[in-house]
Amino acid sequence: MARPLGPVRMRRTNYVTLFIGAVLCLFIIYFLSQSGSSTGSHSSAHKHRPARPAPKSTVQHIRRDVQRFNLNQVTITGDPVANREKILILTPMARFYQDYWDNLMKLNYPHELITLGFILPKNKEGNAATSALQAAITKAQKGPAKERFRRVIIERQDFEPPLSSQDESERHKLQNQKERRASMSRARNSLLFTTLGPDTSWVLWLDADIVETPRTLIQDLASHDKPVVVPNCFQRYTGDDGKDAERAYDFNSWQDSVTAQEMAAKMGNDDLLLEGYAELPTYRTLMAYMEMEDPTDTRAEVPLDGVGGTALMVRAEVHRDGAMFPPFPFYHLIETEGFAKMAKRLGYQSTGLPNYKVRVSREQSQSSVLNLNRH
Amino acid sequence: MATLATTPSTSLPTVAAVAALFGLFVWPGGGPLLSVFSLGLFSDNADVLLDTVRYYDLTNVQGTARGWEREERILLCVPLRDAEPHLNMMFSHLRNFTYPHHLIDLAFLVSDSKDRTLDVLVERLEDLQADEDPKQPYGEIQIIEKDFGQKVNQDVESRHGFAAQASRRKLMAQARNWLLSAALRPYHSWVYWRDVDVETAPFTILEDLMRHNKDVIVPNVWRPLPDWLGGEQPYDLNSWQESETALALADTLDEDAVIVEGYAEYATWRPHLAYLRDPYGDPDMEMDIDGVGGVSILAKARVFRSGVHFPAFSFEKHAETEGFGKMAKRMQYSVVGLPHYTIWHLYEPSVDDIKHMEEMEEERKQKEKEEKEKEEREKKAKDAFGSTSEQWEKDKEQMKDLETQEGKKSTGPEGSKMSNDNSKDSAEKVKAKSAESKNKGKMADA
């Protein structure tokens, strides 16, 4: 046992390794040559031509037909089901809520007319959300034909979200808002302008934490036949007394005030006039707190100057004309509020439905809401 | 692979590992060799989960300086209105682009056209896609029809009149936005805007602009002119650098006003890309600009994805492509012009030019007419008085004969030669000859 181990062991396995190496080499050469020769036949349509050298490109030269779309014939009406109007539901998503998906599946607008678009950040949270989302989508698209959506597009953001934390108290801090909402605007715009396509009639923006809407959400919002329509967003919670209650959630839907305009006039070009912060008492009329004469009339409309994005129905032509979510202060407004302003500059008035409710997930923490209550 | 696994060997784990590695690289590519050469760059761009589900990672479509090597897709957008006469020219440009055609998707917006723009366009595109040369066909092609109810005429005069500019520019912006929003896809890395009436441009323009790796980049746009107008002229005045004067001017205008360049009404004193051209300057020289012209814009797709568009409203007192430049700047994108890299816009004569040309034509005709009349008069005179020149010829002959006879009598061969020479420059020839041979000349003079 005193003999040196190394060389002997080497010699013993040497031939086998060599043999395996040779076999592997043969295999590799075989595969290379086979695939090399097969690329000729892969250049699709023109087999009658003599085989040309394999193109460096992996993309085959497919001869595609000329596609024609007449956008004069894309209707946008108050009765989208009867007119078979196609709708795009867009959701920027940082976290996957099963309740959101369940609610989405329950919408009774014909699914074959619905295209879904998602955009998720490229971080750990985003990865988790993406896998959960993909699982849900796969299940739906393999399910009964009636439940399948026309098309689903998942995109991953090409920029870093400014805050890694989805913790709401952190999210709503004033100094973080500008960055956060600029990033949100970019996400929304990226998603919108790559998915809009030539045959879309309506765009419904639906936040990833909206878990409760009427099943007829799309038909109801479209029936108002307005360029931009926003329902009122609430949140259910369990009060201190243990009873269920609900509270206003979205403070971005508002009518402008003289005070706010005066404040804006004194601001620098890059300053934002945000809603829901004690530091900025704007005295705007918030849709969240509007008291209507008849609280049961879900069709009641009010004109708005700023809109929230939790649920937001937009005629496609508004976006096509260029109305987007400004990632920079636009008239001291940003994101969805800036969008309402830009739509207005293009001649489109936003409309709010104070009595038509959608609800955000309960999971949002209590403290954050306290932060939001400014007055 | 089965043979490998059954190979009797003592180092089975090694084999398994190697085989696994081997399989990993070759098998999942689906197509042979796909992942080996592309290094997986392309295959993970659009994973196909299901027929109806698409996954895109936007970090893969940022746009780089050497897009043609990385197989970056370009969306080429062309807005068209009553453009039938220019389509031939445009298609010859399309055929000549050196950027791999299969990486370029074409998108056309045909709006409010009264001529056969659409029919001709479809015909030409179908020809192009069926071209014998496999390098000719383009990627996806979309034609979008949309009428905006254009009230402004498209002829040169009404197109460039000052009063019509603001509303015209807003309508143009609207058309551009409709085209882009309908055609842009998550797999595009670049967007190239090109007007249909570009007459001359380098075939390599896409690569040339791309090499600069800027978010938004435009070349200089000039147009050739007839000689009587000076031969050439700057065309696109919408690419400029912001000036203090213009900013001050912008502050005085109302919210909906649109500043347009190239009109006396707004003296902005901005440095224009067009006027800085040096025909012998370095074509790679860059200049930061704030407003851009729309004749030929190469932009990274991410600029448009993030929301920059052609404002169809007054954005910082600008609209359309100038507003686009302003908005891109507002979002901290780099906006650059190349003063010495020039493409040439088609020369369309203005109403004044046409008038002038008509006058010139008239003048020319008048001149021709006069000449003709003169000719006729001469002819008449000939007919009336018989051929006077015949008589002259006869006289000439006689005189020559006389001269030769006299010459033979008096002097030597030199003299006779001189008198024989009938051509106009005979005198000069004589001078030269006399200079050569002074002696003989003297003799002749004598």
Side-chain angles (χ1 to χ4, degrees), chain A residues 22-308:
Chain A
V23 169
L24 264 178
C25 280
L26 273 174
F27 258 89
I28 289 169
I29 289 163
Y30 169 72
F31 267 97
L32 285 178
S33 62
Q34 194 198 34
S35 45
S37 61
S38 66
T39 9
S41 65
H42 261 270
S43 50
S44 68
H46 22 275
K47 270 184 187 163
H48 58 280
R49 253 172 262 264
R52 48 191 75 251
K56 199 183 149 204
S57 153
T58 57
V59 182
Q60 291 154 18
H61 296 246
I62 302 161
R63 284 162 194 264
R64 294 184 223 221
D65 292 337
V66 179
Q67 296 173 280
R68 288 177 62 172
F69 302 96
N70 191 340
L71 265 67
N72 296 315
Q73 283 163 9
V74 176
T75 60
I76 310 178
T77 62
D79 189 0
V81 181
N83 293 306
R84 306 282 300 163
E85 290 170 8
K86 298 189 178 74
I87 180 164
L88 184 62
I89 301 182
L90 298 180
T91 302
M93 184 178 278
R95 222 176 114 182
F96 179 79
Y97 291 85
Q98 188 58 45
D99 290 347
Y100 159 85
W101 186 260
D102 294 343
N103 182 66
L104 185 70
M105 291 298 290
K106 273 190 228 143
L107 293 182
N108 66 4
Y109 195 82
H111 282 200
E112 73 267 19
L113 296 176
I114 300 179
T115 299
L116 302 177
F118 300 91
I119 189 162
L120 303 101
K122 248 193 136 176
N123 53 17
K124 211 175 139 194
E125 278 179 325
N127 291 345
T130 307
S131 352
L133 176 66
Q134 279 174 334
I137 290 171
T138 311
K139 200 178 152 202
Q141 296 304 85
K142 282 183 175 166
K146 216 183 138 217
E147 292 199 342
R148 285 183 207 163
F149 294 101
R150 181 168 173 245
R151 206 181 297 139
V152 185
I153 299 158
I154 308 165
E155 294 178 4
R156 300 302 295 274
Q157 272 167 221
D158 52 349
F159 50 89
E160 286 295 310
L163 279 179
S164 55
S165 169
Q166 273 291 310
D167 174 29
E168 223 184 329
S169 55
E170 189 65 24
R171 268 199 327 186
H172 278 279
K173 270 184 195 160
L174 181 55
Q175 58 269 36
N176 292 334
Q177 273 291 299
K178 189 171 168 184
E179 259 187 273
R180 194 188 78 81
R181 296 194 64 186
S183 163
M184 190 65 175
S185 301
R186 277 172 193 264
R188 285 186 192 275
N189 291 336
S190 300
L191 182 58
L192 171 66
F193 289 111
T194 52
T195 55
L196 193 52
D199 55 6
T200 308
S201 296
W202 296 90
V203 178
L204 174 66
W205 290 93
L206 202 58
D207 270 1
D209 50 6
I210 294 294
V211 294
E212 198 184 329
T213 68
R215 290 190 70 196
T216 51
L217 177 73
I218 294 166
Q219 294 92 316
D220 294 345
L221 296 182
S223 70
H224 288 267
D225 206 8
K226 298 280 184 200
V228 181
V229 183
V230 206
N232 215 345
C233 184
F234 286 81
Q235 183 178 41
R236 291 190 197 276
Y237 72 106
T238 312
D240 296 334
D241 51 0
K243 280 183 189 162
D244 270 4
E246 66 176 15
R247 59 191 160 210
Y249 182 79
D250 189 345
F251 299 95
N252 293 331
S253 297
W254 43 256
Q255 291 171 338
D256 216 350
S257 69
V258 179
T259 319
Q261 279 170 357
E262 279 170 1
M263 287 170 76
K266 286 179 206 143
M267 285 180 142
N269 211 14
D270 281 334
D271 292 337
L272 278 180
L273 191 55
L274 289 164
E275 202 47 55
Y277 292 90
E279 303 97 301
L280 297 167
T282 59
Y283 299 100
R284 287 165 176 159
T285 314
L286 302 181
M287 183 164 78
Y289 297 128
M290 270 181 198
E291 291 192 10
M292 306 303 288
E293 279 173 28
D294 176 9
T296 57
D297 175 19
T298 55
R299 293 194 59 82
E301 296 176 357
V302 290
L304 293 179
D305 299 303
V307 298

Side-chain angles (χ1 to χ4, degrees), chain B residues 301-424:
Chain B
R302 67 190 175 110
V303 175
F304 288 101
R305 282 201 300 267
S306 67
V308 182
H309 63 281
F310 301 94
F313 56 92
S314 168
F315 178 80
E316 296 178 5
K317 308 291 161 22
H318 289 280
E320 212 218 345
T321 58
E322 290 168 294
F324 165 76
K326 280 255 162 188
M327 202 182 280
K329 276 271 171 145
R330 189 82 167 83
M331 293 197 207
Q332 274 97 45
Y333 287 116
S334 53
V335 183
V336 157
L338 303 178
H340 310 316
Y341 186 96
T342 312
I343 66 168
W344 297 85
H345 192 273
L346 185 75
Y347 165 69
E348 292 168 286
S350 69
V351 172
D352 276 349
D353 289 355
I354 290 172
K355 219 183 263 169
H356 188 97
M357 282 194 282
E358 274 167 4
E359 282 169 13
M360 291 206 310
E361 182 70 11
E362 201 60 35
E363 226 169 78
R364 194 177 62 83
K365 275 185 186 160
Q366 191 68 31
K367 222 175 175 181
E368 261 178 23
K369 208 175 153 193
E370 276 170 14
E371 268 171 22
K372 217 175 177 185
E373 277 171 6
K374 201 175 160 192
E375 235 171 63
E376 269 170 21
R377 268 205 308 274
E378 275 172 9
K379 210 178 171 191
K380 266 184 194 167
K382 269 182 202 168
D383 292 346
F385 302 105
S387 173
T388 44
S389 54
E390 254 174 56
Q391 189 58 45
W392 286 357
E393 283 299 315
K394 275 181 194 166
D395 293 353
K396 239 187 200 166
E397 286 295 310
Q398 281 175 358
M399 280 166 77
K400 271 180 204 163
D401 288 345
L402 279 171
E403 265 178 37
T404 35
Q405 281 166 17
E406 274 173 33
K408 269 178 189 169
K409 276 180 194 166
S410 62
T411 57
E414 198 68 27
S416 73
K417 203 178 181 183
M418 191 182 86
S419 56
N420 264 332
D421 206 337
N422 265 336
S423 65
K424 284 176 200 166

Side-chain angles (χ1 to χ4, degrees), chain A residues 297-349:
Chain A
D297 175 19
T298 55
R299 293 194 59 82
E301 296 176 357
V302 290
L304 293 179
D305 299 303
V307 298
T310 49
L312 174 66
M313 184 77 152
V314 185
R315 291 168 69 107
E317 63 194 9
V318 179
H319 284 314
R320 291 189 201 282
D321 273 357
M324 50 83 166
F325 302 91
F328 53 87
F330 181 74
Y331 291 84
H332 310 289
L333 305 171
I334 198 165
E335 211 214 343
T336 53
E337 295 165 282
F339 162 74
K341 180 67 185 174
M342 199 175 279
K344 197 157 201 175
R345 298 284 289 123
L346 288 161
Y348 299 106
Q349 171 68 47

